[in-house]
Amino acid sequence: MTNALLLRAPSSGQDDRYETTFNEAGYHALSVPVLETISTNIPTLREILKAGPAAEKFEGVVLTSARSCEAWKTVVGDLVRVPPVEGKGSWSAVPFYVVGQGTAAALTEVHQTYGQTPYTPEDIRGESSGTGERLAQFIRDQPQGKPKKLLYLTGDKNRDTVPTILGKAGIDLRALKVYETQGSHTFERDLEDALKLASTGSVSYSTTRSKLVLRQGPLASQSWWIIHFAPSAAGFVMPILNNHFCFEHTESNPERSISNSSPSPSPSPRAKVAAIGPVTSSFLRDEFQIHVEVVPPSPTPQDLVAAIVSYDRNIGF
């Protein structure tokens, strides 16, 4: 069976939605964390939550990543027994705009963990958007009227798509960076361990915060899909992946070759590439001239796996 290398950290729970969906479709899923996250400005976010949405006239919150949702959850945990400023409103009464099912699920965990509090998101919208551009358009075109001001929690590598679209629509956006990302210092070792385990044909592999988790099932196949989830992660891992896999190049390479950057004594396996969205796909094409075989219509496990299954049935290697 074909291996699916998922370049992201698996969910902390027992079942990871991406891994489970790939496995149910007959693939062997391997999740290898790529990025390390450092929280920033958490004290500032805590003060904003304590003050309440009315203090700065916020009419909603925008979160476009699971990391920003985790920052909100962290602060709610700090404030769960702290009453908000009287007369400044409850965060549970304002809409929270998210870009996909993953961010919606991450935000839902706040309620599952802490229950109903003045800081718990209750009104979650936009999860079918799929991209920052479509989410911004969704916010702009709200049937009940567009909001006047929003709190926007970001990372250090956010594109300006959301602020540009909302700014042109006259929506004031206060952006607060709540996390920074950097390449995982254990990625190369984790990848090599995963490939070794895959080649034995005796176990499947996943990592959770740099710890190996052995899962039942053979992984003898040398057929590979590599799935990228973010441009920043792709930029970090591609030089390392080139040492282990062969990739098809785009038309910008005149030979449209299938090669890797450093020849090895034994041929490296040919890998097909999927990107979770058009931004990541464009990055791989523009920065590394990598041909991306699959981009799903939305960043859900079901759409991603369905697109890959369809490609394999119709085209294959």
Side-chain angles (χ1 to χ4, degrees):
M1 293 184 181
T2 300
N3 302 317
L5 177 61
L6 304 167
L7 296 170
R8 30 74 82 188
S11 299
S12 57
Q14 184 175 2
D15 294 322
D16 179 89
R17 294 186 305 129
Y18 284 96
E19 289 183 358
T20 298
T21 307
F22 269 102
N23 292 335
E24 289 175 348
Y27 294 78
H28 290 295
L30 304 89
S31 290
V32 179
V34 172
L35 301 175
E36 298 172 339
T37 303
I38 302 170
S39 297
T40 62
N41 295 319
I42 296 301
T44 301
L45 180 60
R46 187 181 300 114
E47 291 305 312
I48 291 173
L49 264 67
K50 283 175 59 179
E56 295 189 42
K57 299 182 179 180
F58 291 125
E59 297 181 2
V61 184
V62 181
L63 307 99
T64 56
S65 72
R67 299 300 186 191
S68 57
C69 297
E70 289 172 9
W72 190 277
K73 182 179 177 181
T74 296
V75 173
V76 173
D78 294 342
L79 298 176
V80 67
R81 293 181 177 84
V82 178
V85 175
E86 188 175 351
K88 296 300 181 180
S90 169
W91 291 100
S92 61
V94 304
F96 285 70
Y97 299 98
V98 298
V99 75
Q101 292 182 4
T103 45
L107 208 53
T108 301
E109 288 183 5
V110 179
H111 191 283
Q112 295 171 344
T113 303
Y114 299 110
Q116 189 171 8
T117 77
Y119 312 104
T120 302
E122 300 287 349
D123 182 3
I124 300 174
R125 307 178 185 179
E127 62 185 88
S128 61
S129 301
T131 68
E133 179 180 7
R134 289 200 290 266
L135 177 62
Q137 293 167 348
F138 172 83
I139 296 171
R140 179 194 64 194
D141 300 333
Q142 287 288 280
Q144 62 270 44
K146 64 185 179 184
K148 294 180 180 178
K149 185 176 182 179
L150 297 170
L151 174 63
Y152 180 31
L153 303 188
T154 74
D156 59 323
K157 296 178 175 64
N158 278 61
R159 295 167 65 91
D160 60 359
T161 305
V162 171
T164 298
I165 294 175
L166 296 183
K168 289 180 178 179
I171 299 173
D172 187 15
L173 206 63
R174 177 179 175 184
L176 178 66
K177 182 174 69 176
V178 293
Y179 67 93
E180 297 177 352
T181 55
Q182 61 187 22
S184 169
H185 70 283
T186 65
F187 173 75
E188 189 163 13
R189 184 178 72 237
D190 290 342
L191 175 64
E192 290 174 353
D193 288 344
L195 298 181
K196 288 177 183 177
L197 290 173
S199 67
T200 65
S202 59
V203 293
S204 64
Y205 168 88
S206 178
T207 60
T208 303
R209 302 189 185 281
S210 301
K211 295 181 180 180
L212 303 187
V213 180
L214 305 185
R215 305 187 183 216
Q216 186 177 4
L219 275 178
S221 173
Q222 287 303 298
S223 298
W224 289 88
W225 275 97
I226 295 179
I227 299 94
H228 293 268
F229 288 81
S232 57
F236 171 69
V237 301
M238 277 307 305
I240 300 171
L241 293 175
N242 274 327
N243 294 326
H244 299 278
F245 296 97
C246 296
F247 298 99
E248 184 175 359
H249 291 276
T250 63
E251 295 292 353
S252 61
N253 185 318
E255 298 180 357
R256 195 172 173 81
S257 60
I258 298 177
S259 66
N260 59 2
S261 61
S262 55
S264 58
S266 58
S268 298
R270 157 84 165 98
K272 293 175 286 188
V273 176
I276 198 63
V279 173
T280 303
S281 177
S282 297
F283 178 85
L284 287 164
R285 181 192 65 229
D286 296 341
E287 296 295 324
F288 296 99
Q289 292 74 54
I290 293 296
H291 175 63
V292 177
E293 280 84 0
V294 164
V295 179
S298 69
T300 65
Q302 294 76 17
D303 280 354
L304 173 62
V305 173
I308 287 176
V309 168
S310 176
Y311 182 94
D312 282 342
R313 286 176 178 172
N314 295 322
I315 300 177
F317 277 101

